Amino acid sequence: MKEKSSIAVIGLSVHTAPVDMREKLAVAEELWPRAISELTSLNHIEEAAVLSTCNRMEIYVVALSWNRGIREVVDWMSKKSGIPASELREHLFMLRDSDATRHLFEVSAGLDSLVLGEGQILAQVKQVVRNGQNSGGLGKNIDRMFKDAITAGKRVRCETNISAGAVSVSSAAVELAMMKLPKSECLSARMLLIGAGKMGKLVVKHLIAKGCKKVVVVNRSVERVDAIRQEMKDIEIVYRPLTEMYEAAAEADVVFTSTASESLLFTKEHAEALPPISLAVGGVRLFVDISVPRNVGACVSEVEHARVYNVDDLKEVVEANKEDRVRKAMEAQTIITQELKRFEAWRDSLETVPTIKKLRSYADRIRASELEKCLQKIGEDNLNKKMRRSIEELSTGIVNKLLHGPLQHLRCDGSDSRTLDETLENMHALNRMFNLDTEKAVLEQKIKAKVEKTQS
């Protein structure tokens, strides 16, 4: 059986791997273009995209060879993270073609999120496309797949009630903190937020929803904090610069961390240096870390009066309404299946392009060869420029007229499945009749070109 290029996803998520492994593989958004460049330079990878969030690190590729392509991507992940490939494989999932596409559509719709229907993942999928456009594109197949995933995500949120009551990672973090505090002291506990990015801003929003009246925000610059302050009038926001982070933590009962720092902000030594917490709020300082890579070391929980919770611990909050999650997910699957069929029909329609090119090239070679024989028989001396041009135009016209019918039956936009099936049947028939062997030839040419480029 001839091998054809495959769409694949290789990755790990909150469902398959612990946070300490995910953080080693995390790719900051500004490094996505470089990662894509490295991946597409591999011999059997034609297109690539990276989706890296606090809950997942997934690589989407078009592989010219399934086995070789997957092996190259896993080796790249191993090299990047320092995790042996054998250990990585225990936590990786690998999906191919329609399964890979369905997975991305489910991710975009919020079905694969820790929190069903959360909206932030759709924004992150959109960012993959925007990032790709700014850095030279994702490649035809991956670009179309991500755009269709965005459409699927939007439709699921508009046509089902999956987002009704849905919580985000940030709101789940606030909910978890409230669960761990004594009920009578939830509103009086001193709140500290480190990091005023998108996730941090949502933490403030959900603290307001819980009735909190004051939060201290530590950030590198004051501008972002001022912007949050302008938008959210129902809470007192106190700014502290990053240089005062540990002083601010000393005065806090609950510390939320949400920064892009690649090194730990709090270790066991930092936690031990902080003053004890009032018994009224439980006597334990809570660190709720929603960053990947993590901002707070797990060793902080070894300190008697400190506890650390990271994104993996949010499962405690979201498992409460599991039955409702399953029902909503079933509603969404109908929409995802529709969008999946649309994408696959489009991709199938691309299969005819190599056949069209090969058939025209085949016909042109015959035309050129027969034309040359004809001109030799007539003799160059017996032809003026006008006569020669007329004979060439005649040969071209005959070929175009003969090819018109077959080529018309190879053109299809993929919107009609019946027409698409007929088109693909026509393509296979022409491949057999003229021995075009397009699938194998195209793949071999692409692989050969990439190997030669690597060697040079």
Side-chain angles (χ1 to χ4, degrees):
M1 187 176 176
K2 292 172 190 169
E3 187 169 15
K4 58 187 284 189
S5 64
S6 301
I7 288 178
V9 56
I10 307 100
L12 37 75
S13 72
V14 66
H15 306 299
T16 68
V19 67
D20 57 339
M21 179 173 282
R22 299 200 308 276
E23 67 187 1
K24 290 176 184 174
L25 281 155
V27 179
E29 189 181 315
E30 62 271 18
L31 298 178
W32 288 357
R34 191 173 84 182
I36 290 170
S37 176
E38 290 176 3
L39 287 162
T40 52
S41 70
L42 300 172
N43 287 343
H44 297 88
I45 301 301
E46 186 177 20
E47 302 177 27
V50 174
L51 178 60
S52 183
T53 74
C54 62
N55 282 331
R56 67 186 67 251
M57 196 296 191
E58 298 176 353
I59 296 172
Y60 293 83
V61 298
V62 172
L64 299 175
S65 164
W66 169 257
N67 291 323
R68 294 185 183 95
I70 294 297
R71 186 163 59 246
E72 288 172 356
V73 173
V74 173
D75 288 345
W76 180 87
M77 295 173 81
S78 175
K79 184 178 177 182
K80 183 203 172 301
S81 64
I83 302 170
S86 57
E87 187 181 339
L88 260 182
R89 286 193 183 91
E90 294 176 16
H91 298 276
L92 288 175
F93 62 86
M94 303 172 194
L95 299 171
R96 183 176 188 173
D97 292 327
S98 61
D99 289 335
T101 307
R102 179 179 286 278
H103 174 75
L104 177 60
F105 287 12
E106 289 175 349
V107 167
S108 183
L111 298 187
D112 194 61
S113 297
L114 188 60
V115 181
L116 186 80
E118 56 101 356
Q120 194 167 9
I121 186 62
L122 179 58
Q124 290 161 334
V125 172
K126 289 179 181 177
Q127 193 55 35
V128 172
V129 176
R130 275 195 294 269
N131 194 291
Q133 289 169 342
N134 295 336
S135 61
L138 294 174
K140 180 168 56 181
N141 291 275
I142 296 289
D143 183 71
R144 175 66 180 252
M145 182 172 69
F146 268 79
K147 285 176 178 174
D148 283 1
I150 293 167
T151 300
K154 287 178 178 177
R155 281 193 62 197
V156 166
R157 285 169 176 80
C158 290
E159 298 173 33
T160 74
N161 65 345
I162 198 165
S163 297
V167 286
S168 63
V169 169
S170 299
S171 66
V174 171
E175 191 68 42
L176 181 67
M178 296 299 173
M179 287 168 60
K180 301 301 178 183
L181 287 167
K183 285 187 179 180
S184 59
E185 300 297 327
C186 282
L187 299 183
S188 61
R190 299 169 297 172
M191 301 291 180
L192 169 64
L193 168 65
I194 300 173
K198 292 176 186 176
M199 302 271 276
K201 180 180 174 181
L202 287 172
V203 167
V204 176
K205 177 183 174 182
H206 293 293
L207 285 173
I208 294 171
K210 289 294 180 182
C212 293
K213 296 300 179 186
K214 180 180 178 181
V215 61
V216 176
V217 180
V218 169
N219 199 56
R220 195 178 301 277
S221 63
V222 70
E223 288 79 15
R224 280 192 174 181
V225 181
D226 284 340
I228 296 173
R229 193 184 282 129
Q230 284 293 110
E231 188 177 332
M232 301 180 190
K233 308 284 189 181
D234 297 329
I235 191 168
E236 180 188 352
I237 299 175
V238 179
Y239 169 71
R240 300 283 290 269
L242 201 59
T243 53
E244 297 178 16
M245 179 175 67
Y246 297 115
E247 291 90 329
E251 298 167 6
D253 302 315
V254 180
V255 180
F256 295 96
T257 57
S258 175
T259 81
S261 172
E262 294 194 2
S263 56
L264 294 175
L265 302 181
F266 290 92
T267 63
K268 183 178 178 181
E269 291 71 27
H270 292 127
E272 285 174 335
L274 297 175
I277 289 293
S278 167
L279 290 175
V281 288
V284 175
R285 180 175 281 105
L286 304 179
F287 289 87
V288 185
D289 183 9
I290 54 175
S291 306
V292 177
R294 287 172 294 176
N295 291 166
V296 185
C299 55
V300 167
S301 283
E302 296 172 12
V303 178
E304 187 179 355
H305 301 300
R307 292 292 177 273
V308 181
Y309 301 96
N310 59 47
V311 287
D312 287 1
D313 297 307
L314 301 183
K315 292 175 184 176
E316 186 178 340
V317 176
V318 300
E319 281 298 307
N321 57 350
K322 197 167 186 178
E323 207 172 288
D324 192 41
R325 286 161 59 90
V326 172
R327 182 181 57 77
K328 288 179 179 179
M330 287 173 67
E331 293 174 11
Q333 284 295 351
T334 304
I335 295 168
I336 285 173
T337 298
Q338 291 169 359
E339 292 299 325
L340 178 61
K341 284 180 179 176
R342 198 163 67 89
F343 172 77
E344 289 188 328
W346 170 82
R347 191 160 186 256
D348 284 343
S349 71
L350 298 181
E351 286 190 36
T352 64
V353 174
T355 297
I356 291 172
K357 289 180 178 177
K358 275 259 182 177
L359 183 58
R360 179 162 284 285
S361 176
Y362 175 74
D364 280 340
R365 284 198 306 274
I366 293 174
R367 182 192 70 80
S369 173
E370 294 305 313
L371 176 64
E372 188 63 30
K373 290 177 187 176
C374 173
L375 294 175
Q376 284 176 1
K377 285 179 181 179
I378 296 172
E380 290 289 337
D381 297 337
N382 299 320
L383 289 171
N384 58 35
K385 285 185 178 180
K386 185 176 180 181
M387 292 168 64
R388 183 184 178 95
R389 187 167 63 248
S390 294
I391 295 172
E392 287 178 351
E393 287 174 354
L394 174 66
S395 68
T396 301
I398 292 171
V399 167
N400 287 342
K401 284 276 190 345
L402 285 171
L403 288 182
H404 178 73
L407 294 184
Q408 281 295 101
H409 284 83
L410 287 180
R411 290 193 170 95
C412 170
D413 64 3
S415 58
D416 185 326
S417 60
R418 182 185 58 80
T419 308
L420 176 62
D421 289 341
E422 290 175 2
T423 301
L424 294 177
E425 284 177 17
N426 294 335
M427 179 193 75
H428 293 308
L430 284 167
N431 283 341
R432 287 193 301 273
M433 281 189 278
F434 294 100
N435 197 29
L436 300 177
D437 206 12
T438 52
E439 289 177 7
K440 183 180 177 184
V442 169
L443 279 178
E444 285 179 347
Q445 287 168 11
K446 287 180 177 178
I447 294 170
K448 185 180 178 183
K450 288 178 78 67
V451 171
E452 288 175 351
K453 186 179 177 182
T454 303
Q455 289 174 344
S456 63

